[in-house]
Amino acid sequence: MREILGRRRRLRFRDRPAQLDAALACATEWRWPVLPGVGLQTADGRGERGCACPDPECAVPGAHPFDPGLLAATTDPRMVRWWWTNRPTAPVVLATGGSAPCALSLPAAAGAGALAGLDRMGVRLGPVVATPTRWSLLVAPYTLERLGELLHAQDWVPSSLRFHGEGGYLVLPPSETAAGQVRWERAPDRVSRLRLTGGAPVAAAASPWLPDVGTVLDALVEASNSAPDGGSRLAY
């Protein structure tokens, strides 16, 4: 009987949607607030899929919050399970800022070049989210005031950079959007910490390590300014 129950349990977890597992990991292990994105739907008789929101000119099809709105983002596992049980293929959306990670994003081609440049410079990076169109470098939380000070200190910042801070969001793997599949270019570094339970140390999950936004911004600007052809490797 124990073997039968164990087999049923394994089958149940194997059949569980990857989005639910990812959302639960974010919410319960890392304490990152998440919510389901709007997702995609078939847009016409040719089978092409577009955004499920009512805006026919949506700029980021499938890759944004809609119902529920961004303020509903939570780390409550019961809410997360309810959302993705009802919408198992919904994108996983991270509400950035506050105590949650923030991000800097840039076009995919520029992102690939930037990561290679940062590796050569020895810059330690955190998780990197990749889509066919943009790459996003996750960083430690920052305030809008801090970001303003950092930008003011720079002589020039590539216009291709976008900042996902307080009140923003980011679509996480393994979501699918109209732009394509979302994946980890650099997977989160799942560092464990020790906590005491009944006097004995027990391994516990910790949030992935995140670099400071100032370090990443300075390195990106330096990598862009040092492009061998005299141009910016981030300006495309």
Side-chain angles (χ1 to χ4, degrees), residues 18-37:
Q19 283 88 336
L20 174 56
D21 284 339
L24 282 172
C26 290
T28 62
E29 296 180 26
W30 305 340
R31 309 303 297 170
W32 294 0
V34 294
L35 74 160

Side-chain angles (χ1 to χ4, degrees), residues 38-93:
V38 63
L40 302 171
Q41 66 180 4
T42 302
D44 54 35
R46 294 173 297 181
E48 295 182 0
R49 294 193 298 169
C51 191
C53 78
D55 183 3
E57 304 297 329
C58 181
V60 285
H64 64 90
F66 178 65
D67 184 13
L70 186 62
L71 293 179
T74 184
T75 58
D76 184 347
R78 296 168 300 178
M79 195 73 239
V80 169
R81 287 191 183 94
W82 187 86
W83 276 333
W84 272 275
T85 297
N86 288 279
R87 298 176 53 201
T89 61
V92 180
V93 175

Side-chain angles (χ1 to χ4, degrees), residues 79-165:
M79 195 73 239
V80 169
R81 287 191 183 94
W82 187 86
W83 276 333
W84 272 275
T85 297
N86 288 279
R87 298 176 53 201
T89 61
V92 180
V93 175
L94 166 70
T96 56
S99 61
C102 296
L104 287 73
S105 72
L106 57 161
L115 257 64
L118 297 185
D119 286 343
R120 287 192 295 270
M121 295 164 60
V123 178
R124 183 186 178 190
L125 295 175
V128 178
V129 175
T131 75
T133 56
R134 292 193 75 82
W135 287 18
S136 301
L137 286 65
L138 271 64
V139 297
Y142 59 76
T143 63
L144 292 178
E145 291 77 12
R146 170 99 194 284
L147 178 61
E149 293 171 358
L150 290 171
L151 294 176
H152 181 72
Q154 299 289 344
D155 293 330
W156 172 82
V157 175
S159 61
S160 61
L161 280 178
R162 294 179 188 168
F163 300 90
H164 308 258

